[in-house]
Amino acid sequence: MAVKSLVNIPVLNLETEMKRWNTVFKVLSQPKPDIDSTPRKAVWKKNKSVLWYHPALEKKYNTPLFLVYSLLNKAYILDISEEGSVIGNLTKQGYDVYLLDWGSPGLEDKDLTLDNYILDYLEVAVKRAIRHSGAKEISLVGYCIGGMLSAMLTSITDLPIKNLVLAAVPIDYSDAIVPGKWVKALQNGTLNFDRMAASYEVIPSEFLYAIFMTLQGFNIGPTINLVTRAHDQKYVDKWRRMDKWMKDAVTFSGAAFKQMMSELYKDNKLVKGEMKIGGRKVDLTKINCSTLVITSTRDELVLESQSLPIMDLISSEDKTYEYVEAGHVSLCLTGQFAYAIDPWLSDRSTKL
């Protein structure tokens, strides 16, 4: 008597598998893709930093946007492809967009501190954008560390910042994503990065990439996704751009690195109101402009508990908190960030 199998065993298609693995090999061995930016021009430069201006396709608002990305990664994640460009989507929605590209510091920049980045670069660049645009006010949009720097600047500057958007922003470092033992070791002094910073002077990009991967648990998910979706050319193209950006790490000023480790991770001065920039106290209660804070559901680098405290610290009467279905990087990679902030910004931007 014949016995029917109750298990459906998938049939291996040799031709399909050959194509799959040929694609994977090709992707992993070929040069990284070129990244074409949304139309732009440089309107200000200082040292390694460049302020880019991206004009609106059909301008709808007199209030321009000023984007500030993290010091720890390259800003082109905000403009990584035509379809997934945060900047491109914002210009399509009628905004003039300015982007501060921090650049990658060299050995001659080893003494740059957060004070320098905020006062000598960010504040000056925002002032330049306001003058270039001819606008009376500007919206400051900060992402990750860029959001933290934007919040600091807003609390101490006299510049006309009409709206403040903070996405995936670390404010409270008592509950950072780094292992608890690291935080405790920093707090009791058994872990100290000063000697390393002094030895390197500028933290190598390879070290920052290693930290980035460590905090994600050496996530092999993207590689598995490439293997399983190698037949999808659209996905493969997106994967190649993401892979290029992740491995295209920046260097970091040794002085700024020491300052972050000591004043933020160790002493948590920002949320305590003890941080000083250029001798001025960073008092987040002095932020009173319209403020939008965004966290993402699958953020593997900045916890919601790090961002949420700012809602109680700022004095803004018009403040909004939103929870978006995305990861820390995918919110930018997909261009979704532009659609997440547009409804809020459009109601608070001066229309033509």
Side-chain angles (χ1 to χ4, degrees), residues 60 83 94 111 124 139 181 212 220 231 252 259 265 287 303 312 314 340:
K60 297 179 182 178
E83 180 182 353
D111 295 323
V124 175
S139 294
K181 290 184 178 180
F212 186 69
I220 63 171
H231 62 282
F252 196 52
Q259 189 177 7
Y265 281 99
I287 297 177
L303 301 173
D312 292 326
I314 62 177

Side-chain angles (χ1 to χ4, degrees), residues 131-143:
R131 185 166 71 249
H132 178 268
S133 67
K136 295 182 179 179
E137 298 174 304
I138 198 165
S139 294
L140 193 57
V141 181
Y143 203 98

Side-chain angles (χ1 to χ4, degrees), residues 144-156:
C144 190
I145 298 296
M148 182 188 75
L149 300 180
S150 298
M152 288 183 181
L153 174 65
T154 305
S155 74
I156 62 176

Side-chain angles (χ1 to χ4, degrees), residues 297-312:
T297 57
R298 302 188 306 276
D299 198 323
E300 66 281 5
L301 293 175
V302 178
L303 301 173
E304 181 184 18
S305 56
Q306 287 188 270
S307 302
L308 194 53
I310 197 170
M311 295 298 292
D312 292 326

Side-chain angles (χ1 to χ4, degrees), residues 200-337:
Y200 282 104
E201 298 186 322
V202 171
I203 308 303
S205 58
E206 294 83 359
F207 177 77
L208 295 176
Y209 174 70
I211 289 181
F212 186 69
M213 294 303 293
T214 300
L215 294 178
Q216 294 187 92
F218 295 98
N219 185 8
I220 63 171
T223 303
I224 294 174
N225 289 339
L226 174 64
V227 173
T228 57
R229 300 182 63 178
H231 62 282
D232 183 345
Q233 188 58 48
K234 186 176 181 179
Y235 178 82
V236 170
D237 290 342
K238 184 172 72 172
W239 190 96
R240 291 181 65 222
R241 293 173 185 273
M242 174 64 178
D243 183 63
K244 173 188 174 81
W245 175 80
M246 284 189 63
K247 294 175 180 175
D248 192 14
V250 297
T251 53
F252 196 52
S253 156
F257 184 77
K258 287 193 296 183
Q259 189 177 7
M260 283 191 66
M261 289 297 163
S262 175
E263 298 190 26
L264 296 173
Y265 281 99
K266 180 177 180 292
D267 297 330
N268 201 19
K269 286 186 175 182
L270 179 58
V271 79
K272 292 178 180 178
E274 300 172 357
M275 193 95 181
K276 287 187 176 181
I277 294 296
R280 288 180 272 177
K281 183 180 179 182
V282 178
D283 184 357
L284 297 179
T285 65
K286 292 187 176 180
I287 297 177
N288 51 33
C289 61
S290 297
T291 302
L292 169 65
V293 179
I294 291 177
T295 59
S296 50
T297 57
R298 302 188 306 276
D299 198 323
E300 66 281 5
L301 293 175
V302 178
L303 301 173
E304 181 184 18
S305 56
Q306 287 188 270
S307 302
L308 194 53
I310 197 170
M311 295 298 292
D312 292 326
L313 291 171
I314 62 177
S315 300
S316 308
E317 293 185 4
D318 176 17
K319 53 186 176 181
T320 305
Y321 184 81
E322 290 187 6
Y323 208 39
V324 178
E325 182 67 31
H328 185 86
V329 176
S330 66
L331 185 57
C332 288
L333 182 67
T334 60
Q336 181 184 356
F337 184 49

